[in-house]
Amino acid sequence: MSGTGRPEEHAVDAAGLRVGIVATRWNADVVEPMLARAREALAHWGAEEPDVVHVAGAVELPVVAQQFARTRDAVVALGAVIRGGTPHFDYVCQSLTQGLTEVALAESTPVANGVLTCDTQEQARDRAGLPGSREDKGWEAATAAVDTAAVLRGLRTAGGERVAG
């Protein structure tokens, strides 16, 4: 795991932002702590209480993310895909990544990809924001979503004026 190049966290003004979180039921031992950390991040930055739904697996994330993106300021997708012994892992990861990206662009709404794609359960736990984890992807994904939504809010309310940043 790298972490190299990670920016310093900065204050995010997420006041009034409405967020939807869609999380998988697969690998709940990893995903549920990520969900808790994402909720904590949103509260920390001042976003409204998020709407949360669960779906079966990672391939189902984009379609629910799209529905949220139509009525929310930002979306956070959470899950964990663990490599198995077949190419299924590659298809799932590619499909969900492409799907979430397409949703964000089609709906002009930030969709944070907080789906862990790991070789082992241990790697996933080390990224899930658990006590002793080296990373906290639930917090990071939620922060990225509202940070981007705040940037878009600023651009959209600037009335076409040049915005310094």
Side-chain angles (χ1 to χ4, degrees):
M1 135 181 48
S2 174
T4 302
R6 178 178 292 139
E8 296 280 330
E9 191 168 84
H10 66 277
V12 177
D13 178 9
L17 291 178
R18 297 178 316 136
V19 180
I21 301 176
V22 55
T24 63
R25 287 190 290 271
W26 273 88
N27 297 303
D29 62 319
V30 172
V31 177
E32 288 305 308
M34 290 173 57
L35 173 58
R37 291 295 293 155
R39 292 177 86 129
E40 290 172 27
L42 295 173
H44 176 80
W45 300 122
E48 293 183 9
E49 180 68 23
D51 295 309
V52 178
V53 296
H54 287 81
V55 295
V59 174
E60 291 75 30
L61 291 169
V63 69
V64 175
Q66 185 167 42
Q67 187 60 42
F68 267 149
R70 291 176 176 152
T71 59
R72 306 304 189 285
D73 299 302
V75 181
V76 179
L78 299 172
V81 183
I82 311 299
R83 187 180 299 278
T86 69
H88 183 72
F89 172 88
D90 298 313
Y91 302 137
V92 169
C93 295
Q94 180 181 7
S95 178
L96 83 92
T97 300
Q98 182 176 349
L100 294 176
T101 301
E102 287 179 12
V103 167
L105 295 173
E107 302 300 333
S108 297
T109 302
V111 178
N113 184 345
V115 180
L116 304 178
T117 55
C118 301
D119 290 325
T120 66
Q121 285 283 346
E122 293 75 30
Q123 286 177 345
R125 283 193 285 278
D126 201 32
R127 291 165 172 78
L130 299 165
S133 292
R134 293 182 2 181
E135 296 185 71
D136 190 349
K137 295 302 184 183
W139 180 282
E140 290 177 19
T143 298
V146 293
D147 186 36
T148 306
V151 168
L152 288 172
R153 176 171 56 189
L155 291 172
R156 291 170 179 155
T157 59
E161 298 173 19
R162 187 176 178 125
V163 178

